[in-house]
Amino acid sequence: MQTEAKKRWISLYVENDVGVLAKISGLFSGKSYNLQSLTVGETEDPTVSRMTISLTGDDKTFEQIKKQLNRSVEVIKVLDFTELPIHKKEILFIKLRSLKKDELEDVFRSASVFGINVSDYDKASVILESIKTESENDDVLRYYKKNFLSRMEAVRGGAVAIESVSRSDR
């Protein structure tokens, strides 16, 4: 019985070696999974990296992937965050160009309302930095696209996540 595809999060502890990222991402592409987000960073142990992966898929295929990951020599630990309380954030940068003075003032006000940082600006441009949940960043993007799309550049980083000790930040 095929189950419905749903959003999933997985975190892997892997050896911090050349080629590990390519091997892991190859596992997903081999199953025709499109990764929505993949971030990798060194942990407190420089020989170990932690990957946080977001994807959509059905239960059966997702279980097969977790089994393959667990069999991989480079993978130290697999954590399925799909049903766990976690803290998860992604970074979003938005650059707005060719702004008039009143538009620049609006951007500063709206950044304050959204609780995002102005990380750089000059007389006609601004760079905003938002470290929020995926859905909160969706809201931020929607607002600036509505008002500045033709003069906007956006860059999103993948989400990072950690198991919660008391609550979830989804």
Side-chain angles (χ1 to χ4, degrees), residues 15-32:
E15 293 175 5
N16 188 4
D17 286 330
V18 174
V20 173
L21 174 60
K23 185 171 183 184
I24 299 301
S25 60
L27 254 169
F28 286 90
S29 66
K31 292 286 182 187
S32 298

Side-chain angles (χ1 to χ4, degrees), residues 92-105:
L92 165 68
F93 284 109
I94 298 173
K95 183 190 294 181
L96 302 170
R97 299 174 301 281
S98 305
L99 301 173
K100 297 175 190 142
K101 184 178 180 188
D102 62 320
E103 291 176 319
L104 198 57
E105 290 170 3

